[in-house]
Amino acid sequence: MAGTDGGQLHGLVDEQTVYGALDAIDEALEQALIAPSEREQRWQLNQLRGLLRTVRSGNLSLDEGLGRLIRILQTPTIEQ
């Protein structure tokens, strides 16, 4: 159940965070689709899948987990 404290809703994720996460996921999927090889495509998709699974685990709230996901996906990666 969501409660309020000074105008902030607790237990709900900020809409901007959700859309930011969806945009970051979409971009990661796009990058995987244009990967130069099937091997790299699989690697990128597996990385994304692992990140998505970590959002649901751990001690982070959903809002914190999505924020972390956005930061990780927006960070340039080093080629494998």
Side-chain angles (χ1 to χ4, degrees):
M1 232 178 138
T4 60
D5 179 18
Q8 294 283 18
L9 290 175
H10 297 286
L12 297 178
V13 178
D14 178 45
E15 187 175 306
Q16 184 176 355
T17 301
V18 172
Y19 285 125
L22 290 173
D23 287 342
I25 293 166
D26 180 58
E27 180 64 29
L29 287 170
E30 179 67 26
Q31 291 302 311
L33 288 173
I34 62 172
S37 69
E38 186 177 334
R39 180 176 183 249
E40 185 170 334
Q41 183 180 48
R42 284 186 190 163
W43 182 83
Q44 289 181 11
L45 289 172
N46 282 329
Q47 294 298 309
L48 178 57
R49 185 172 183 232
L51 285 171
L52 291 172
R53 295 180 96 187
T54 62
V55 169
R56 295 179 56 178
S57 63
N59 296 331
L60 298 177
S61 70
L62 182 57
D63 196 43
E64 293 167 330
L66 290 175
R68 181 173 179 254
L69 178 72
I70 293 166
R71 287 188 301 279
I72 291 171
L73 289 176
Q74 290 179 345
T75 301
T77 58
I78 297 172
E79 295 296 318
Q80 60 165 340

